[in-house]
Protein backbone atom coordinates (compact mmCIF):
# COMPACT_ATOMS: atom_id res chain seq x y z
CA UNK A 1 0.00 0.00 0.00
CA UNK A 2 1.32 3.44 -0.86
CA UNK A 3 1.90 5.86 1.95
CA UNK A 4 -0.88 8.06 0.60
CA UNK A 5 -3.30 5.16 0.51
CA UNK A 6 -2.24 4.14 4.00
CA UNK A 7 -2.82 7.66 5.26
CA UNK A 8 -6.28 7.86 3.82
CA UNK A 9 -7.16 4.36 4.96
CA UNK A 10 -6.18 5.35 8.45
CA UNK A 11 -8.29 8.45 8.15
CA UNK A 12 -11.25 6.35 7.12
CA UNK A 13 -10.64 4.02 10.04
CA UNK A 14 -10.65 7.05 12.29
CA UNK A 15 -13.85 8.37 10.90
CA UNK A 16 -15.99 5.34 10.36
CA UNK A 17 -17.34 3.51 13.38
CA UNK A 18 -19.36 0.65 11.98
CA UNK A 19 -22.62 -0.53 13.48
CA UNK A 20 -22.81 -2.98 16.29
CA UNK A 21 -23.56 -6.09 14.29
CA UNK A 22 -23.23 -7.20 10.69
CA UNK A 23 -26.04 -9.45 9.73
CA UNK A 24 -27.89 -9.81 13.03
CA UNK A 25 -27.33 -12.97 15.06
CA UNK A 26 -29.94 -14.83 13.03
CA UNK A 27 -28.14 -14.10 9.77
CA UNK A 28 -24.88 -15.47 11.16
CA UNK A 29 -26.69 -18.55 12.50
CA UNK A 30 -28.25 -19.17 9.07
CA UNK A 31 -24.85 -18.93 7.38
CA UNK A 32 -23.39 -21.29 9.99
CA UNK A 33 -26.23 -23.77 9.67
CA UNK A 34 -25.74 -23.91 5.90
CA UNK A 35 -22.02 -24.52 6.36
CA UNK A 36 -22.61 -27.18 9.04
CA UNK A 37 -24.47 -29.26 6.48
CA UNK A 38 -21.81 -28.90 3.76
CA UNK A 39 -18.79 -29.95 5.83
CA UNK A 40 -16.79 -33.11 5.24
CA UNK A 41 -17.01 -35.67 8.05
CA UNK A 42 -13.49 -34.71 9.10
CA UNK A 43 -14.15 -30.96 9.08
CA UNK A 44 -17.37 -31.43 11.03
CA UNK A 45 -15.51 -33.46 13.66
CA UNK A 46 -12.74 -30.84 13.95
CA UNK A 47 -15.30 -28.05 14.39
CA UNK A 48 -17.04 -29.92 17.21
CA UNK A 49 -13.69 -30.79 18.84
CA UNK A 50 -12.42 -27.21 18.76
CA UNK A 51 -15.61 -25.30 19.51
CA UNK A 52 -17.84 -27.76 21.34
CA UNK A 53 -20.71 -26.43 19.20
CA UNK A 54 -21.57 -26.30 15.50
CA UNK A 55 -20.99 -23.32 13.21
CA UNK A 56 -24.63 -22.24 13.64
CA UNK A 57 -24.10 -21.63 17.34
CA UNK A 58 -20.58 -20.27 16.79
CA UNK A 59 -21.56 -17.64 14.21
CA UNK A 60 -22.50 -14.89 16.68
CA UNK A 61 -19.43 -15.32 18.97
CA UNK A 62 -17.41 -12.51 17.41
CA UNK A 63 -20.30 -10.09 17.93
CA UNK A 64 -20.88 -11.31 21.50
CA UNK A 65 -17.25 -10.34 22.04
CA UNK A 66 -18.22 -6.72 21.38
CA UNK A 67 -19.86 -6.71 24.81
CA UNK A 68 -16.42 -6.86 26.37
CA UNK A 69 -15.96 -3.21 27.24
CA UNK A 70 -13.21 -1.13 28.72
CA UNK A 71 -14.07 0.13 32.19
CA UNK A 72 -13.03 3.54 33.54
CA UNK A 73 -10.12 1.90 35.39
CA UNK A 74 -8.85 0.42 32.09
CA UNK A 75 -9.83 -3.18 32.81
CA UNK A 76 -12.00 -5.20 30.44
CA UNK A 77 -15.21 -6.87 31.49
CA UNK A 78 -18.20 -8.47 29.80
CA UNK A 79 -21.55 -6.66 30.02
CA UNK A 80 -24.42 -8.64 28.51
CA UNK A 81 -25.77 -7.13 25.29
CA UNK A 82 -29.23 -5.69 25.29
CA UNK A 83 -32.37 -7.02 23.68
CA UNK A 84 -32.43 -9.97 21.29
CA UNK A 85 -28.70 -10.20 20.97
CA UNK A 86 -28.28 -11.62 24.45
CA UNK A 87 -29.91 -14.93 23.48
CA UNK A 88 -27.30 -16.31 21.05
CA UNK A 89 -24.53 -15.10 23.38
CA UNK A 90 -25.87 -17.16 26.30
CA UNK A 91 -24.29 -20.24 24.71
CA UNK A 92 -20.93 -18.75 25.73
CA UNK A 93 -21.92 -17.45 29.17
CA UNK A 94 -19.63 -19.97 30.90
CA UNK A 95 -16.59 -18.71 29.04
CA UNK A 96 -16.49 -14.93 29.09
CA UNK A 97 -12.83 -15.18 30.05
CA UNK A 98 -12.03 -16.44 26.51
CA UNK A 99 -13.74 -13.35 25.05
CA UNK A 100 -11.96 -10.98 27.43
CA UNK A 101 -8.65 -12.67 26.60
CA UNK A 102 -9.21 -12.27 22.82
CA UNK A 103 -10.27 -8.64 23.16
CA UNK A 104 -7.35 -7.82 25.45
CA UNK A 105 -4.87 -9.13 22.90
CA UNK A 106 -6.55 -7.38 19.97
CA UNK A 107 -7.66 -4.04 21.45
CA UNK A 108 -4.65 -1.77 20.99
CA UNK A 109 -2.86 -3.25 17.98
CA UNK A 110 -4.33 -0.71 15.58
CA UNK A 111 -5.67 2.83 15.92
CA UNK A 112 -9.44 3.01 16.24
CA UNK A 113 -10.03 5.91 18.61
CA UNK A 114 -13.29 6.78 20.23
CA UNK A 115 -15.68 8.74 18.04
CA UNK A 116 -17.40 11.60 19.90
CA UNK A 117 -21.09 11.23 20.70
CA UNK A 118 -21.31 7.59 19.65
CA UNK A 119 -21.41 4.38 21.63
CA UNK A 120 -18.82 2.79 19.33
CA UNK A 121 -16.70 0.16 21.02
CA UNK A 122 -13.39 1.25 19.62
CA UNK A 123 -10.95 -1.58 20.22
CA UNK A 124 -8.95 -2.57 17.15
CA UNK A 125 -10.78 -5.93 17.01
CA UNK A 126 -13.96 -4.10 16.03
CA UNK A 127 -12.38 -3.09 12.73
CA UNK A 128 -11.94 -6.76 11.76
CA UNK A 129 -15.63 -6.84 10.75
CA UNK A 130 -15.63 -4.43 7.81
CA UNK A 131 -14.15 -2.63 4.84
CA UNK A 132 -15.41 0.64 3.42
CA UNK A 133 -14.54 0.51 -0.27
CA UNK A 134 -16.21 3.30 -2.28
CA UNK A 135 -19.24 1.80 -4.00
CA UNK A 136 -18.01 3.16 -7.36
CA UNK A 137 -15.17 0.59 -7.38
CA UNK A 138 -15.65 -2.62 -9.38
CA UNK A 139 -13.45 -4.82 -7.23
CA UNK A 140 -11.60 -5.10 -3.96
CA UNK A 141 -8.05 -3.81 -3.97
CA UNK A 142 -5.79 -3.28 -0.97
CA UNK A 143 -4.79 0.14 -2.39
CA UNK A 144 -8.29 1.56 -2.23
CA UNK A 145 -9.48 3.95 0.46
CA UNK A 146 -11.48 2.13 3.10
CA UNK A 147 -9.16 -0.89 3.32
CA UNK A 148 -6.27 -1.54 5.71
CA UNK A 149 -4.16 -4.33 7.17
CA UNK A 150 -6.68 -4.96 9.95
CA UNK A 151 -9.86 -5.02 7.86
CA UNK A 152 -12.34 -7.80 7.16
CA UNK A 153 -10.44 -9.29 4.22
CA UNK A 154 -7.18 -9.30 6.19
CA UNK A 155 -8.86 -10.80 9.27
CA UNK A 156 -10.26 -13.72 7.29
CA UNK A 157 -6.84 -14.44 5.80
CA UNK A 158 -5.21 -14.22 9.23
CA UNK A 159 -7.67 -16.74 10.66
CA UNK A 160 -7.16 -19.08 7.68
CA UNK A 161 -3.39 -18.87 8.22
CA UNK A 162 -3.78 -20.05 11.82
CA UNK A 163 -5.92 -23.01 10.75
CA UNK A 164 -3.14 -23.91 8.30
CA UNK A 165 -0.53 -23.88 11.12
CA UNK A 166 0.98 -20.61 9.94
CA UNK A 167 1.48 -17.50 12.09
CA UNK A 168 -1.20 -14.80 11.92
CA UNK A 169 0.30 -11.67 10.34
CA UNK A 170 0.33 -8.55 12.52
CA UNK A 171 -1.65 -6.80 13.83
CA UNK A 172 -3.76 -9.90 14.50
CA UNK A 173 -3.20 -11.81 17.72
CA UNK A 174 -4.95 -15.16 17.30
CA UNK A 175 -3.82 -17.60 19.95
CA UNK A 176 -5.46 -20.84 18.85
CA UNK A 177 -7.29 -22.66 16.11
CA UNK A 178 -10.38 -22.38 18.28
CA UNK A 179 -10.19 -18.60 18.19
CA UNK A 180 -9.46 -18.61 14.43
CA UNK A 181 -12.50 -20.80 13.85
CA UNK A 182 -14.76 -18.52 15.90
CA UNK A 183 -13.50 -15.62 13.76
CA UNK A 184 -14.15 -17.39 10.45
CA UNK A 185 -17.58 -18.66 11.53
CA UNK A 186 -18.56 -15.00 11.82
CA UNK A 187 -16.43 -12.98 9.41
CA UNK A 188 -17.16 -15.04 6.30
CA UNK A 189 -20.79 -14.01 6.92
CA UNK A 190 -19.86 -10.35 7.36
CA UNK A 191 -18.05 -10.46 4.02
CA UNK A 192 -21.38 -11.10 2.28
CA UNK A 193 -23.15 -8.08 3.82
CA UNK A 194 -22.98 -5.37 1.11
CA UNK A 195 -22.64 -2.48 3.57
CA UNK A 196 -19.80 -4.24 5.38
CA UNK A 197 -17.61 -4.18 2.32
CA UNK A 198 -18.70 -1.12 0.30
CA UNK A 199 -19.79 2.33 1.43
CA UNK A 200 -21.37 5.42 -0.07
CA UNK A 201 -19.14 8.50 0.28
CA UNK A 202 -21.36 11.55 -0.15
CA UNK A 203 -20.99 15.22 -0.95
CA UNK A 204 -23.14 17.92 0.69
CA UNK A 205 -25.77 17.63 -2.05
CA UNK A 206 -26.12 13.87 -1.50
CA UNK A 207 -24.32 12.85 -4.67
CA UNK A 208 -21.56 10.23 -4.55
CA UNK A 209 -18.03 11.55 -4.25
CA UNK A 210 -15.00 9.43 -4.97
CA UNK A 211 -12.37 9.35 -2.21
CA UNK A 212 -9.98 7.39 -4.46
CA UNK A 213 -9.96 10.34 -6.88
CA UNK A 214 -10.26 13.32 -4.58
CA UNK A 215 -7.99 11.92 -1.83
CA UNK A 216 -9.98 13.95 0.65
CA UNK A 217 -12.74 12.91 2.98
CA UNK A 218 -14.93 15.60 4.44
CA UNK A 219 -15.85 14.49 7.98
CA UNK A 220 -19.08 16.49 7.80
CA UNK A 221 -20.35 14.32 4.96
CA UNK A 222 -19.41 10.90 6.38
CA UNK A 223 -22.03 8.15 6.54
CA UNK A 224 -20.05 5.59 8.61
CA UNK A 225 -20.78 2.78 6.22
CA UNK A 226 -24.44 3.78 6.09
CA UNK A 227 -24.83 3.85 9.88
CA UNK A 228 -25.58 7.57 9.81
CA UNK A 229 -28.19 7.19 7.05
CA UNK A 230 -31.73 7.12 8.43
CA UNK A 231 -34.69 5.50 6.76
CA UNK A 232 -37.68 7.30 8.24
CA UNK A 233 -37.79 8.24 11.89
CA UNK A 234 -35.96 5.35 13.49
CA UNK A 235 -34.48 2.81 11.06
CA UNK A 236 -30.95 3.10 9.80
CA UNK A 237 -29.87 1.93 6.35
CA UNK A 238 -26.93 -0.15 7.58
CA UNK A 239 -28.91 -2.03 10.20
CA UNK A 240 -31.77 -2.64 7.78
CA UNK A 241 -29.25 -4.59 5.71
CA UNK A 242 -28.14 -6.44 8.87
CA UNK A 243 -31.73 -7.55 9.59
CA UNK A 244 -32.67 -11.02 8.42
CA UNK A 245 -35.72 -11.61 6.19
CA UNK A 246 -38.67 -12.11 8.49
CA UNK A 247 -39.63 -15.48 7.00
CA UNK A 248 -36.38 -17.07 8.20
CA UNK A 249 -35.56 -18.49 11.63
CA UNK A 250 -32.11 -19.16 13.06
CA UNK A 251 -31.68 -22.38 11.05
CA UNK A 252 -31.44 -22.34 7.26
CA UNK A 253 -34.38 -23.89 5.40
CA UNK A 254 -33.50 -26.85 3.18
CA UNK A 255 -33.88 -24.74 0.03
CA UNK A 256 -30.96 -22.52 1.08
CA UNK A 257 -28.80 -25.53 1.95
CA UNK A 258 -29.59 -27.10 -1.43
CA UNK A 259 -28.77 -23.83 -3.20
CA UNK A 260 -25.41 -23.66 -1.40
CA UNK A 261 -24.62 -27.25 -2.36
CA UNK A 262 -25.39 -26.41 -6.01
CA UNK A 263 -22.89 -23.52 -6.22
CA UNK A 264 -19.71 -24.14 -8.22
CA UNK A 265 -16.75 -25.25 -6.07
CA UNK A 266 -14.13 -22.68 -5.06
CA UNK A 267 -11.05 -22.69 -7.27
CA UNK A 268 -7.60 -21.14 -7.00
CA UNK A 269 -5.52 -20.59 -3.88
CA UNK A 270 -7.33 -20.36 -0.54
CA UNK A 271 -5.31 -17.20 0.24
CA UNK A 272 -7.04 -15.42 -2.67
CA UNK A 273 -10.61 -16.37 -1.81
CA UNK A 274 -11.43 -13.51 0.57
CA UNK A 275 -10.41 -10.87 -1.99
CA UNK A 276 -12.52 -12.56 -4.68
CA UNK A 277 -15.51 -12.74 -2.32
CA UNK A 278 -15.08 -9.07 -1.36
CA UNK A 279 -15.15 -8.18 -5.05
CA UNK A 280 -18.35 -10.18 -5.46
CA UNK A 281 -19.94 -8.29 -2.54
CA UNK A 282 -18.93 -4.92 -4.01
CA UNK A 283 -20.87 -5.85 -7.15
CA UNK A 284 -23.89 -6.71 -4.98
CA UNK A 285 -23.47 -3.43 -3.09
CA UNK A 286 -23.65 -1.43 -6.31
CA UNK A 287 -27.16 -2.80 -6.83
CA UNK A 288 -28.04 -2.23 -3.17
CA UNK A 289 -27.03 1.42 -3.44
CA UNK A 290 -28.60 2.11 -6.84
CA UNK A 291 -31.96 3.83 -7.20
CA UNK A 292 -31.62 5.62 -3.86
CA UNK A 293 -31.36 9.29 -3.00
CA UNK A 294 -29.54 10.74 -0.01
CA UNK A 295 -30.35 14.02 1.72
CA UNK A 296 -28.24 15.49 4.49
CA UNK A 297 -30.08 17.17 7.35
CA UNK A 298 -27.19 17.67 9.76
CA UNK A 299 -23.80 16.40 10.88
CA UNK A 300 -23.83 12.57 10.87
CA UNK A 301 -27.45 12.64 9.78
CA UNK A 302 -28.65 11.60 6.36
CA UNK A 303 -32.02 10.41 5.08
CA UNK A 304 -32.55 7.91 2.29
CA UNK A 305 -35.35 7.71 -0.28
CA UNK A 306 -35.97 4.70 -2.51
CA UNK A 307 -36.83 5.37 -6.14
CA UNK A 308 -39.22 2.40 -6.35
CA UNK A 309 -40.53 2.85 -2.81
CA UNK A 310 -39.49 1.37 0.52
CA UNK A 311 -41.45 -1.90 0.29
CA UNK A 312 -40.26 -2.81 -3.21
CA UNK A 313 -36.67 -2.04 -2.24
CA UNK A 314 -36.73 -4.31 0.80
CA UNK A 315 -38.53 -7.11 -1.05
CA UNK A 316 -35.56 -7.17 -3.43
CA UNK A 317 -33.16 -6.77 -0.50
CA UNK A 318 -34.62 -9.83 1.26
CA UNK A 319 -33.91 -11.96 -1.81
CA UNK A 320 -30.39 -10.55 -2.01
CA UNK A 321 -29.82 -11.37 1.66
CA UNK A 322 -30.87 -14.98 1.10
CA UNK A 323 -28.57 -15.24 -1.92
CA UNK A 324 -25.73 -13.86 0.20
CA UNK A 325 -26.41 -16.28 3.09
CA UNK A 326 -26.21 -19.14 0.59
CA UNK A 327 -22.89 -17.93 -0.80
CA UNK A 328 -21.44 -17.27 2.66
CA UNK A 329 -22.46 -20.70 3.96
CA UNK A 330 -20.86 -22.42 0.97
CA UNK A 331 -17.70 -20.30 1.35
CA UNK A 332 -17.31 -21.05 5.05
CA UNK A 333 -17.65 -24.77 4.36
CA UNK A 334 -15.19 -24.49 1.45
CA UNK A 335 -12.50 -23.04 3.72
CA UNK A 336 -12.94 -25.68 6.40
CA UNK A 337 -13.16 -28.55 3.92
CA UNK A 338 -9.92 -27.36 2.35
CA UNK A 339 -8.25 -27.26 5.76
CA UNK A 340 -9.74 -30.59 6.91
CA UNK A 341 -10.53 -32.64 3.78
ZN1 LIG B 1 -19.43 -8.73 12.40
Amino acid sequence: MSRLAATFSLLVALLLPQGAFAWNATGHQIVGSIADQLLTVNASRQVKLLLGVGLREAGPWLDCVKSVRKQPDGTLSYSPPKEDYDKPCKAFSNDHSAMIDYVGRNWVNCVYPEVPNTSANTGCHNTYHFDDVAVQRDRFDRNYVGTNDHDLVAAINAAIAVLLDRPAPPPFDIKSKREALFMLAHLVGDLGQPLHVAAPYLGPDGSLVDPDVTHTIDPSTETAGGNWIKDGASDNFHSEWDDNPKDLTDTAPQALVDAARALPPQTGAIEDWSVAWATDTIVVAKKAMAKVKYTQTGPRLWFIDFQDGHDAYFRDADQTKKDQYVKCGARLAAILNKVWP
Side-chain angles (χ1 to χ4, degrees), residues 115-271:
V115 178
N117 306 317
T118 74
S119 58
N121 197 357
T122 50
C124 177
H125 62 290
N126 285 296
T127 70
Y128 301 172
H129 297 247
F130 64 91
D131 279 280
D132 279 311
V133 176
V135 69
Q136 297 95 317
R137 302 285 77 78
D138 292 317
R139 63 189 174 87
F140 182 90
D141 190 305
R142 179 59 70 215
N143 289 309
Y144 291 155
V145 167
T147 73
N148 52 59
D149 65 1
H150 46 88
D151 64 12
L152 175 53
V153 167
I156 288 173
N157 280 345
I160 288 174
V162 171
L163 291 189
L164 293 172
D165 293 312
R166 300 170 191 162
F172 300 98
D173 191 334
I174 306 169
K175 78 168 186 184
S176 63
K177 291 191 180 186
R178 181 172 194 263
E179 214 167 74
L181 192 49
F182 269 131
M183 290 173 71
L184 285 174
H186 179 89
L187 296 176
V188 174
D190 279 355
L191 193 63
Q193 209 279 41
L195 273 76
H196 264 249
V197 179
Y201 291 85
L202 304 176
D205 64 353
S207 62
L208 287 178
V209 296
D210 191 336
D212 291 302
V213 170
T214 62
H215 294 294
T216 59
I217 296 170
D218 179 354
S220 69
T221 57
E222 277 301 338
T223 72
N227 276 293
W228 295 339
I229 300 174
K230 292 261 186 210
D231 173 19
S234 56
D235 288 329
N236 109 29
F237 187 47
H238 183 106
S239 59
E240 286 179 307
W241 271 98
D242 285 346
D243 285 343
N244 60 294
K246 295 293 168 255
D247 59 328
L248 295 183
T249 65
D250 62 7
T251 302
Q254 193 60 40
L256 296 195
V257 178
D258 292 344
R261 221 183 284 279
L263 289 175
Q266 299 297 327
T267 55
I270 192 171
E271 294 83 358

